[in-house]
Amino acid sequence: MVPAWQVNAGNGTLGTFIAVHEDCGWRSCSWYGDFTATEGGAKRADVILYDAPDGMAEGKAVPARDTGARNGVFSTTGGYTWLLTTGLVAAGAIAAAAWIVMVVRLISRRRTRVPEPA
């Protein structure tokens, strides 16, 4: 989540992503390629381009930003990856909190039951 928020804030290392191949799954396609930092920084090979712009093609170079995401870099054209990851993390946190509340209530109810007279 942090790398997606960093790119949304304009942080990270600017560079160029060159598309090498497209990998399509059941619902969507992703572009993989090589990222080279503009000012001679790190070069990353075979990374995914998050928020890829429309019209990507093999060999096409687009500006990108590396914010330390383990598997990829982000397109500078913008996108909604930061919003999606934030939503998923928030939904997971809400589900975990709801589960904890349910367990605490169950334990509390079991402790407060009055035994029936025999």
Side-chain angles (χ1 to χ4, degrees):
M1 185 171 93
V2 173
W5 269 93
Q6 286 179 338
V7 78
N8 187 48
N11 298 329
T13 304
L14 286 173
T16 303
F17 174 87
I18 299 175
V20 174
H21 67 91
E22 184 178 29
D23 185 23
C24 292
W26 181 55
R27 292 188 141 191
S28 64
C29 295
S30 299
W31 279 98
Y32 288 82
D34 302 324
F35 173 82
T36 304
T38 302
E39 296 184 12
K43 181 174 181 176
R44 297 180 63 187
D46 197 31
V47 294
I48 189 171
L49 178 63
Y50 298 112
D51 300 326
D54 292 335
M56 284 296 294
E58 189 174 322
K60 184 174 182 178
V62 296
R65 192 177 296 270
D66 183 5
T67 58
R70 184 175 16 159
N71 296 326
V73 297
F74 294 86
S75 172
T76 60
T77 60
Y80 296 103
T81 299
W82 66 275
L83 188 59
L84 177 64
T85 56
T86 302
L88 291 173
V89 169
I94 290 168
W99 181 80
I100 290 170
V101 168
M102 288 174 34
V103 169
V104 168
R105 283 186 179 175
L106 178 64
I107 292 170
S108 173
R109 285 183 188 156
R110 287 187 177 179
R111 287 186 179 172
T112 59
R113 282 189 186 163
V114 177
E116 295 181 21

